[in-house]
């Protein structure tokens, strides 16, 4: 059984990374290799070496001597030979280093674009997709002789051990007579060998027994579910979904369900299939925000002007920020006079203003969505925003 953390980078960890550290915060993002063939070629390690060279050059440009750079980068250098790190990969690796807190790194289920960044703050924009369109849901697997309950989210899948608080199969709920009754129902024979003529009655008995079984399961499910508003997804046959719906007391039984035999499906596949089923439910808030942007497009409640959005984010005015995936905006922000100067490319003292805008919005409770260029409300700009006032 694979257990996924609710979020591979808890929000508190991200908040710690948001705090400014010193003049030389190092951020490195890499895709990792999951296939043995690529792992054997050490491609991910080669990418890390390349990023280290880029970081070294950026530090030299800042007039830091080679000995100091070598000492500073040693913790990252040691990761190159950390065999366990590369043999147990996720999709991506995020590495952070500063003088105050030293080295931190996280394996993240996002295949990052390769990036090496040095500034007086961390580059955290690639991590923000971890915190939007995600949410808690539950997956309940049902059959006559198999039951499982999982707590899940986009990056989290955990067995809740329903069998500890509810019967594991129908026989436990209705007694040993179930086997005889079920055999009789399937074969048309009574327990004494006589032909069973009441087919309708047999089906009705089966329904009564299943409803009793599901009532007991429902009580167990309610004991284990921590969020009464989270969607409950069923994995079962169609007739069992209808029966469970009759006795269900959970506030949010998902209308769509998974079919097939869940007992012989691998956990990663259960997680993948169930997330695909509920993803649209959690994306609703994003769609609602995009609709709101379009409604207020010709008012001062929205903007796609970079300077306006950056200033608004720094003043805590941005409610929702839409960013174009793969784009960036560089420049200088003067904290004293709150002046923003845009530049065309990343230079020594130019910071990513898209990163700054996103982090300030996120840190002040706003929503940040990173979208493809086709999804952006106003496609001519890499930043769109809805303002709080």
């Amino acid at each position: 059984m694979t257990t996924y953390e609710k979020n591979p980078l808890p929000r508190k960890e991200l908040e710690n990374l948001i705090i400014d550290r010193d003049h030389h915060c190092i951020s490195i993002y890499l895709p990792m290799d999951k296939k043995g063939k690529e792992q054997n070629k050490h491609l991910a390690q080669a990418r890390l070496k390349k990023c280290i060279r880029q970081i070294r050059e950026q530090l030299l440009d800042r007039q830091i001597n080679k000995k100091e750079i070598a000492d500073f980068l040693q913790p990252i250098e040691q990761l190159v030979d950390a065999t366990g790190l590369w043999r147990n990969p996720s999709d991506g690796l995020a590495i952070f280093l500063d003088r105050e807190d030293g080295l931190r790194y996280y394996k993240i289920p996002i295949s990052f674009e390769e990036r090496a960044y040095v500034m007086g703050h961390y580059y955290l924009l690639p991590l923000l997709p971890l915190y939007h369109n995600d949410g808690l849901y539950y997956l309940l697997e049902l059959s006559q002789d198999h039951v499982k309950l999982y707590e899940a989210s986009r990056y989290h899948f955990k067995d809740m051990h329903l069998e500890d608080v509810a019967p594991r199969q129908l026989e436990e709920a209705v007694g040993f007579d179930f086997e005889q009754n079920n055999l009789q129902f399937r074969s048309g024979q009574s327990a004494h060998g006589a032909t069973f003529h009441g087919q309708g009655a047999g089906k009705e008995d089966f329904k009564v027994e299943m409803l009793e079984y599901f009532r007991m399961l429902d009580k167990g499910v309610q004991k284990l579910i921590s969020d009464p508003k989270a969607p409950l997804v069923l994995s079962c046959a169609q007739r069992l979904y209808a029966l469970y719906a009759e006795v269900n007391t959970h506030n949010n039984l998902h209308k769509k369900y998974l079919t097939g035999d869940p007992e012989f499906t691998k956990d990663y596949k259960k997680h993948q299939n169930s997330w695909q089923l509920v993803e649209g439910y959690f994306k609703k808030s994003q769609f609602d925000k995009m609709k709101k942007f379009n409604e207020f497009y010709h008012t001062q409640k929205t903007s796609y002007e970079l300077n306006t959005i950056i200033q608004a984010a720094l003043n805590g005015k941005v409610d929702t920020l839409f960013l174009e995936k793969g784009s960036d905006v560089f420049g200088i922000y003067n904290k004293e006079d709150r002046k923003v100067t845009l530049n065309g490319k990343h230079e020594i003292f130019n910071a990513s203003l898209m990163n700054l805008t996103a982090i300030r919005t996120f840190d002040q409770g706003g929503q940040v969505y990173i979208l493809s260029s086709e999804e952006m409300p106003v496609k001519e700009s890499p930043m769109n925003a809805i303002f709080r006032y």
Side-chain angles (χ1 to χ4, degrees):
M1 167 65 201
T2 302
T3 300
Y4 303 83
E5 294 298 327
K6 289 188 178 181
N7 197 307
L9 186 68
R11 190 180 180 109
K12 191 171 183 62
E13 285 283 317
L14 183 68
E15 290 170 352
N16 288 334
L17 291 168
I18 289 173
I19 300 171
D20 289 348
R21 299 294 171 178
D22 59 29
H23 294 297
H24 305 117
C25 292
I26 295 174
S27 309
I28 294 176
Y29 291 89
L30 300 168
M32 299 189 82
D33 298 316
K34 287 189 169 183
K35 295 181 180 179
K37 184 178 179 181
E38 284 78 6
Q39 287 183 12
N40 292 335
K41 291 180 179 179
H42 305 293
L43 299 179
Q45 292 94 317
R47 287 191 285 267
L48 177 55
K49 289 178 182 179
K50 177 184 173 184
C51 287
I52 293 173
R53 289 195 297 270
Q54 293 174 356
I55 293 292
R56 187 179 291 111
E57 291 171 3
Q58 292 182 52
L59 293 172
L60 285 169
D61 289 340
R62 287 164 170 77
Q63 307 302 313
I64 303 175
N65 68 66
K66 292 183 179 180
K67 175 66 168 62
E68 187 178 351
I69 293 173
D71 292 342
F72 184 36
L73 296 183
Q74 186 177 16
I76 299 180
E77 297 268 14
Q78 292 174 345
L79 291 180
V80 175
D81 298 319
T83 306
L85 172 65
W86 308 107
R87 287 296 181 188
N88 298 283
S90 185
D91 295 290
L93 179 66
I95 302 171
F96 304 102
L97 177 68
D98 66 64
R99 289 185 176 89
E100 182 179 336
D101 289 326
L103 177 71
R104 282 165 291 179
Y105 61 90
Y106 307 90
K107 291 186 283 188
I108 305 290
I110 297 174
S111 185
F112 298 120
E113 294 291 327
E114 186 180 308
R115 178 180 287 271
Y117 186 89
V118 180
M119 194 53 65
H121 54 265
Y122 287 125
Y123 186 82
L124 303 173
L125 182 60
L127 297 174
L128 294 187
L130 292 171
Y131 305 94
H132 69 72
N133 294 338
D134 193 15
L136 187 69
Y137 70 96
Y138 294 89
L139 174 65
L140 177 61
E141 298 178 346
L142 291 176
S143 71
Q144 294 173 202
D145 55 5
H146 171 81
V147 60
K148 282 277 189 180
L149 178 69
Y150 298 94
E151 182 185 78
S153 68
R154 182 166 45 160
Y155 303 113
H156 165 63
F157 197 66
K158 177 184 176 183
D159 188 346
M160 298 297 288
H161 300 289
L162 179 60
E163 66 274 10
D164 293 342
V165 295
R168 288 174 290 183
Q169 52 185 291
L170 178 57
E171 181 184 341
E172 291 184 15
V174 301
F176 185 73
D177 285 347
F178 159 72
E179 288 295 338
Q180 294 294 335
N181 292 338
N182 196 41
L183 176 63
Q184 174 182 338
F185 170 63
R186 292 197 307 265
S187 66
Q189 299 292 319
S190 74
H192 302 289
T195 301
F196 179 74
H197 298 287
Q199 293 294 325
K203 291 179 181 178
E204 189 60 33
D205 288 343
F206 175 79
K207 179 180 178 180
V208 169
E209 289 174 337
M210 290 303 292
L211 287 174
E212 178 60 25
Y213 176 37
F214 286 166
R215 284 190 187 93
M216 298 173 75
L217 286 181
D218 176 70
K219 290 179 181 178
V221 167
Q222 294 310 307
K223 289 179 181 178
L224 297 177
I225 285 182
S226 60
D227 185 350
K229 296 182 180 179
L232 175 63
V233 178
L234 299 191
S235 178
C236 60
Q238 181 179 3
R239 63 173 181 165
L240 296 187
Y241 179 90
L243 289 174
Y244 191 86
E246 284 191 37
V247 300
N248 167 66
T249 60
H250 184 65
N251 292 329
N252 193 3
L253 181 64
H254 203 58
K255 293 180 180 180
K256 296 180 180 180
Y257 58 95
L258 297 175
T259 57
D261 193 338
E263 189 174 0
F264 301 104
T265 304
K266 293 186 179 295
D267 286 344
Y268 82 89
K269 197 66 178 176
K270 295 175 184 178
H271 185 210
Q272 182 183 71
N273 292 342
S274 59
W275 174 250
Q276 288 176 353
L277 201 66
V278 298
E279 185 177 12
Y281 174 89
F282 293 110
K283 270 194 168 184
K284 185 179 184 302
S285 61
Q286 175 186 319
F287 296 143
D288 289 344
K289 292 291 187 179
M290 294 173 74
K291 182 179 178 181
K292 184 176 180 181
F293 183 96
N294 291 327
E295 288 175 355
F296 290 99
Y297 177 67
H298 294 294
T299 73
Q300 294 184 347
K301 287 277 288 181
T302 66
S303 180
Y304 57 88
E305 297 289 342
L306 299 182
N307 253 309
T308 302
I309 295 172
I310 294 168
Q311 291 281 7
L314 296 172
N315 292 319
K317 188 179 175 181
V318 175
D319 172 85
T320 305
L321 183 65
F322 303 103
L323 301 178
E324 184 180 47
K325 185 177 182 179
S327 296
D328 214 333
V329 177
F330 296 98
I332 299 172
Y333 168 62
N334 189 312
K335 290 184 178 180
E336 293 181 3
D337 60 11
R338 292 179 174 269
K339 184 178 179 181
V340 176
T341 304
L342 297 177
N343 299 109
K345 60 181 180 179
H346 185 24
E347 297 175 346
I348 295 178
F349 298 109
N350 281 352
S352 166
L353 296 179
M354 187 173 279
N355 177 70
L356 176 65
T357 304
I359 294 305
R360 288 292 175 264
T361 299
F362 178 85
D363 198 34
Q364 295 172 102
Q367 294 292 319
V368 180
Y369 297 105
I370 301 176
L371 309 176
S372 68
S373 57
E374 293 79 15
E375 292 176 302
M376 291 289 289
V378 177
K379 298 171 177 56
E380 293 77 20
S381 172
M383 287 192 201
N384 301 172
I386 301 172
F387 300 136
R388 289 190 167 109
Y389 51 90

